[in-house]
Amino acid sequence: MKGKVWKYGDDVNTDVILPGRYLSNYDAKFLASHAMEDIDKEFAPNVKQGDIVVGGRNFGCGSSREQAATCLTAAGVQAVVAKSFARIFYRNAINLGLPVIQAPELVEKLQKGDEVELDMEKGTVKLMRTGESVAFKSLPPFIMELLRDGGLIPHLKKQMAEKKGISQP
Amino acid sequence: MPKGMTIAEAILARAGGKARVEPGEIVDAKVDRAMSHDNGALVAKHFAEIGVEKVWDKDRIVLLMDHRVPANDIKTAEGHKKIREFVAKQGIPNFFDIKEGICHQVFPEHGYALPGQLIVGTDSHTTTYGAVGAMSTGIGATEMAGVWATGSLWLMVPKSFKFNVKGKFPKGAYPKDLILKIIGDLKADGADYASCEFYGPAIDAMTVGGRMTICNMSMEMGAKSAICPPDKKVFDYLKGRAKGKYEPVYAAKDAAYEKTFDYDVSALEPMVAAPHTVDNVKPLKDVAGTKINQAIIGSCTNGRLEDLKEGAAILKGKTIYKDVRLIVAPASREVLLAAMKDGTMDIYVRAGAVVINPGCGPCLGAHEGIMAAGERCISSTNRNFKGRMGDPASEVYLASPAAVAASALEGAIADPRGYLK
Ligand code: SF4
């Protein structure tokens, strides 16, 4: 899917991705409307389905709030690419079906506003500005399976259904 | 011969039903206990989506409310109500309503954190329980719903770091200053995915509370877990508290650590983390004199009795600066009771502090003690991210309770050593 790049620096923490003052409301659309607002007021009103958030080192450090991943998926973000991730954000994103791609070289190549095409299955990002296609290290198979299922909840549901021997609707 | 295991590796091997594990390996680990706070409402919502009727083991789940207590808006009240309903429906015995205090204080106080155990919590500072020799780590709400359903989760065996800490803390320097110094050195991602183990005479001499401060804040350099080898102090602390039997786990003599760091606290001075990142650490003297509007003593990092006493020793018989708001939030009801009994609270109230109920209070900027644009706070909490305590244009400095108290007296960031005999 094609999308636009939103680029940020190192140590983007979960307090700025989704500030604590919005945590008591679980409505995903509400959360999306406040995503990133403490570091980028332009993000929430302008982000489009399929856009990609790009960060530097240690993206998603800080609190364990999974709303930091929820607000991004609900805003339409198709993946986060970073030089490295903080571990809880990494897990939360996968559990919520948001692909997280650790690819330092790719981060260097991407600029704010770039149009890109991401293919998770192939493990490539095509950069429209230069026509270049950049490969990244693919995620372990069981994480890809979680992502294909749409996250941990649908994945567990599927597993339970398989255990009971009934097919998925 | 393969090398022996670190504490984290040994605990994960046991939890994963394996004889040994290697860093990088993924284990399907059975958890000993699972903790959630106010976000338990979100966990319950996801749990319902999975579609299982009953939780895997109601005795292993601990639920409490601490982040926004008493409820400060309707949404929070609804969340709290959902938790109470869930607790009643599932018959969860280990539940603490709004009165008890902060999860990371209440959980060990009530003996749920035990040496050798694997504990997960829906809070990043779940690393705190490493102070009693547990491997404990933070997870998200969706993942916790999975744990409630199955009792297990996948975990990657982390690489382990070893910190050897020697020396005697000089006057005015505390475990908080040590961990700030370490975070300043390693930076916010210096221990990403790693399990940090703390050894040495300075750790041995530390109270269990001091170790909690260290393990709590290790999260701020990305640690997956932070563990001190359990000793007699821990066993004494657990006497009359421990819920169930436990088996301490230690590292093998030849355990393999990816990195080793040596620290000597003998010359440690008061430190601060300046806005807006926890790794922006400086000696306090570099920022002394910076005007403040608010000062906070509390949180899971430094809200225990010893922390409150540390601040009270400086405030005794004095009045805080006229333009400063000093907020004191005891970490738990047990702490508050003890601080009332020994006169600590008396000192604070007389000095002009606002004492609030045990809980997270102003720490996460979601409940009270919120700051306006342009305001500045010095706080004994653990995070100073932009907007953490209110308006994104407000500022938070992190320091020890002693430094916070000294600053509250002067209306500006102040060195506590001038007030200590
Ligand atoms: S006191 Fe602060 S850091 Fe600790 S659990 Fe509460 S909000 Fe989190």
Side-chain angles (χ1 to χ4, degrees):
Chain A
M1 202 199 309
K2 278 191 190 167
K4 217 179 80 178
V5 166
W6 296 83
K7 190 162 180 179
Y8 303 96
D10 291 341
D11 301 318
V12 173
N13 66 69
T14 53
D15 269 84
V16 295
I17 301 172
L18 200 274
R21 55 189 180 273
Y22 303 124
L23 289 179
S24 59
N25 191 331
Y26 296 156
D27 180 60
K29 281 276 163 278
F30 168 83
L31 297 172
S33 73
H34 292 289
M36 309 297 266
E37 76 176 22
D38 281 1
I39 48 164
D40 185 359
K41 294 247 178 310
E42 293 302 307
F43 180 82
N46 296 304
V47 63
K48 298 245 160 31
Q49 192 68 35
D51 283 0
I52 287 179
V53 168
V54 177
R57 281 167 47 161
N58 206 25
F59 188 93
C61 61
S63 145
S64 66
R65 63 188 66 160
E66 69 179 22
Q67 289 93 325
T70 314
C71 73
L72 295 181
T73 35
V77 171
Q78 77 162 310
V80 182
V81 181
K83 291 185 185 167
S84 66
F85 290 91
R87 59 164 288 275
I88 306 181
F89 179 85
Y90 189 83
R91 295 182 75 97
N92 283 343
I94 291 164
N95 285 327
L96 290 159
L98 171 66
V100 268
I101 301 161
Q102 188 167 334
E105 308 79 37
L106 178 56
V107 169
E108 296 294 348
K109 290 192 170 144
L110 297 175
Q111 294 174 8
K112 183 170 189 271
D114 271 349
E115 207 192 338
V116 292
E117 187 169 15
L118 167 70
D119 189 328
M120 276 309 285
E121 298 295 332
K122 285 210 200 103
T124 57
V125 169
K126 188 167 178 200
L127 185 52
M128 300 307 172
R129 180 166 45 85
T130 60
E132 185 186 8
S133 188
V134 188
F136 55 86
K137 193 167 168 271
S138 51
L139 295 163
F142 81 98
I143 290 183
M144 281 304 288
E145 193 189 325
L146 267 176
L147 289 173
R148 273 186 218 111
D149 287 348
L152 182 69
I153 303 284
H155 177 74
L156 283 176
K157 273 174 132 169
K158 192 175 99 178
Q159 274 188 346
M160 305 236 171
E162 278 165 4
K163 254 193 217 155
K164 282 187 202 145
I166 39 175
S167 60
Q168 277 293 96
Chain B
M1 264 293 279
K3 287 264 194 188
M5 290 187 285
T6 65
I7 301 181
E9 287 159 10
I11 292 176
L12 282 178
R14 188 207 27 92
K18 299 190 157 186
R20 63 169 294 118
V21 294
E22 305 278 345
E25 188 178 333
I26 308 263
V27 291
D28 195 13
K30 286 198 168 62
V31 309
D32 294 297
R33 280 215 164 83
M35 186 284 297
S36 289
H37 49 65
D38 302 42
N39 62 16
L42 185 55
V43 185
K45 182 172 170 269
H46 292 314
F47 181 77
E49 286 161 19
I50 300 175
V52 276
E53 270 297 302
K54 284 277 169 194
V55 296
W56 109 99
D57 185 346
K58 63 181 170 48
D59 294 317
R60 289 180 189 267
I61 295 172
V62 177
L63 273 163
L64 44 77
M65 298 169 195
D66 59 358
H67 272 54
R68 293 179 295 274
V69 295
N72 57 331
D73 60 23
I74 295 168
K75 284 272 176 240
T76 300
E78 282 168 355
H80 287 179
K81 186 170 171 230
K82 291 228 168 71
I83 294 174
R84 293 184 189 105
E85 286 166 0
F86 183 83
V87 163
K89 187 172 165 214
Q90 297 281 340
I92 291 172
N94 308 310
F95 169 62
F96 303 90
D97 214 307
I98 65 164
K99 69 179 184 301
E100 207 64 26
I102 307 169
C103 54
H104 304 313
Q105 182 63 19
V106 174
F107 193 91
E109 256 176 14
H110 287 259
Y112 296 117
L114 297 173
Q117 291 201 331
L118 175 65
I119 300 163
V120 291
T122 44
D123 191 277
S124 55
H125 295 104
T126 302
T127 52
T128 310
Y129 319 141
V132 301
M135 180 179 180
S136 51
T137 194
I139 60 173
T142 296
E143 186 141 47
M144 184 59 91
V147 170
W148 283 4
T150 65
S152 63
L153 79 169
W154 65 268
L155 285 173
M156 191 176 78
V157 179
K159 57 194 181 221
S160 294
F161 289 178
K162 185 174 193 173
F163 293 80
N164 296 310
V165 190
K166 64 175 186 191
K168 199 169 161 270
F169 280 94
K171 205 169 53 179
Y174 304 89
K176 177 67 161 278
D177 301 296
L178 169 63
I179 191 65
L180 284 176
K181 170 99 181 86
I182 293 176
I183 295 167
D185 291 347
L186 271 75
K187 296 293 165 199
D189 61 352
D192 260 1
Y193 296 91
S195 174
C196 299
E197 293 182 12
F198 292 91
Y199 294 89
I203 304 295
D204 297 341
M206 223 177 256
T207 60
V208 175
R211 295 176 200 173
M212 285 185 188
T213 304
I214 304 269
C215 293
N216 175 278
M217 279 202 82
S218 294
M219 201 285 139
E220 302 306 327
M221 48 186 183
K224 177 173 200 156
S225 57
I227 313 178
C228 302
D231 61 1
K232 184 164 181 303
K233 279 186 192 162
V234 169
F235 307 142
D236 288 346
Y237 175 81
L238 290 172
K239 267 190 202 123
R241 298 183 193 270
K243 297 272 190 303
K245 288 201 176 50
Y246 59 87
E247 223 172 286
V249 168
Y250 299 97
K253 284 219 163 49
D254 63 342
Y257 291 89
E258 167 142 328
K259 285 184 190 165
T260 303
F261 302 88
D262 294 307
Y263 279 88
D264 184 344
V265 297
S266 311
L268 188 65
E269 56 179 317
M271 307 296 286
V272 296
H276 289 290
T277 55
V278 187
D279 60 1
N280 187 16
V281 175
K282 307 171 182 206
L284 182 144
K285 62 174 186 292
D286 290 6
V287 293
T290 308
K291 290 259 168 284
I292 56 159
N293 310 89
Q294 184 160 290
I296 291 167
I297 296 180
S299 85
C300 55
T301 312
N302 282 120
R304 284 170 279 279
L305 183 64
E306 63 196 76
D307 302 310
L308 303 189
K309 287 170 85 125
E310 187 185 307
I314 287 170
L315 293 171
K316 189 164 187 189
K318 300 193 177 73
T319 312
I320 58 168
Y321 186 75
K322 60 177 177 31
D323 292 333
V324 166
R325 319 181 284 264
L326 171 60
I327 302 173
V328 178
S332 71
R333 190 164 65 107
E334 182 181 310
V335 170
L336 175 57
L337 280 167
M340 289 197 303
K341 200 166 168 199
D342 74 1
T344 301
M345 276 307 159
D346 198 80
I347 294 171
Y348 279 111
V349 177
R350 284 180 200 284
V354 174
V355 178
I356 60 173
N357 58 308
C360 298
C363 177
L364 81 161
H367 191 240
E368 56 197 337
I370 311 279
M371 286 193 292
E375 292 194 316
R376 193 176 291 126
C377 174
I378 186 164
S379 175
S380 78
T381 54
N382 53 30
R383 280 198 182 127
N384 60 351
F385 299 151
K386 205 172 181 202
R388 173 77 178 178
M389 270 183 206
D391 193 280
S394 60
E395 291 183 349
V396 180
Y397 283 76
L398 305 176
S400 71
V404 173
S407 307
L409 284 178
E410 296 190 11
I413 296 178
D415 195 320
R417 288 174 297 188
Y419 295 90
L420 297 165
K421 273 166 253 113

